[in-house]
Amino acid sequence: MKNVANQRYYLVREDVLTDAMQKTLEAKQLLQSGRVASIWDAVKEVELSRSAFYKYRDAVFPFHSIVKERILTVFIQLQDRKGALARLLEMVSDAHCNVLTIHQTIPIQGRANVTLSLDVTGMTGELDELIGLLKKLDFVESAEVISSGAL
């Protein structure tokens, strides 16, 4: 087996995976959920050979299981109003994002810059929706994602 550090990874659509790869993913889900007690039971249920399961089990993964934790950095320009930051953070919290860091400049000419680093692992909606909601706040002049990535 190749050294993991030297391996290359690809993101592919489900419909281009072989049947054996798709069945391996199904068998892994059955095992993880506890619906079956053994690999033998899992491969029997999805009609896959054990050798094919062992061939692919450490090579195919659902996308969500790889990208478990994500950090997003958002830059926001706000008008200097009482409670503006509190309302902004409440909206971020309502989207189930965890605030990791907050940096706010001193307001100059009635405007402040806020940079939020967020753990968006538990975010319930789409990123575009959250940014759109932030932009709709009457005291937000701009909101944009400046970086994203895994932890």
Side-chain angles (χ1 to χ4, degrees):
M1 184 172 198
K2 288 183 182 177
N3 179 346
V4 175
N6 296 330
Q7 292 182 354
R8 297 166 92 184
Y9 293 88
Y10 301 91
L11 179 64
V12 298
R13 283 189 334 261
E14 180 181 28
D15 64 317
V16 298
L17 295 175
T18 65
D19 286 341
M21 289 177 176
Q22 290 181 21
K23 288 180 179 185
T24 299
L25 288 167
E26 290 175 43
K28 287 171 65 170
Q29 176 58 35
L30 289 171
L31 288 163
Q32 184 179 4
S33 70
R35 288 183 39 212
V36 295
S38 68
I39 291 172
W40 174 251
D41 293 334
V43 297
K44 213 167 51 172
E45 186 163 327
V46 300
E47 299 177 352
L48 178 69
S49 70
R50 284 183 357 149
S51 62
F53 176 82
Y54 285 114
K55 178 178 181 179
Y56 295 120
R57 75 172 177 177
D58 295 325
V60 293
F61 303 94
F63 181 71
H64 64 83
S65 71
I66 295 172
V67 183
K68 288 186 178 177
E69 299 181 62
R70 298 180 294 157
I71 294 178
L72 184 70
T73 304
V74 181
F75 180 77
I76 305 159
Q77 287 187 318
L78 359 139
Q79 295 172 2
D80 184 24
R81 293 191 196 170
K82 182 178 180 179
L85 183 59
R87 284 186 52 209
L88 178 85
L89 293 174
E90 182 180 16
M91 185 170 283
V92 168
S93 176
D94 289 346
H96 299 279
C97 297
N98 182 31
V99 177
L100 301 173
T101 65
I102 301 172
H103 175 77
Q104 180 178 345
T105 62
I106 295 172
I108 298 174
Q109 297 180 347
R111 289 176 182 79
N113 296 326
V114 176
T115 305
L116 298 176
S117 295
L118 307 171
D119 177 349
V120 295
T121 305
M123 187 165 59
T124 53
E126 295 295 321
L127 173 59
D128 293 343
E129 292 173 16
L130 175 61
I131 298 301
L133 289 172
L134 294 176
K135 287 179 177 180
K136 285 182 182 178
L137 294 170
D138 62 343
F139 53 83
V140 172
E141 294 186 355
S142 68
E144 59 187 88
V145 176
I146 56 174
S147 73
S148 64
L151 287 172

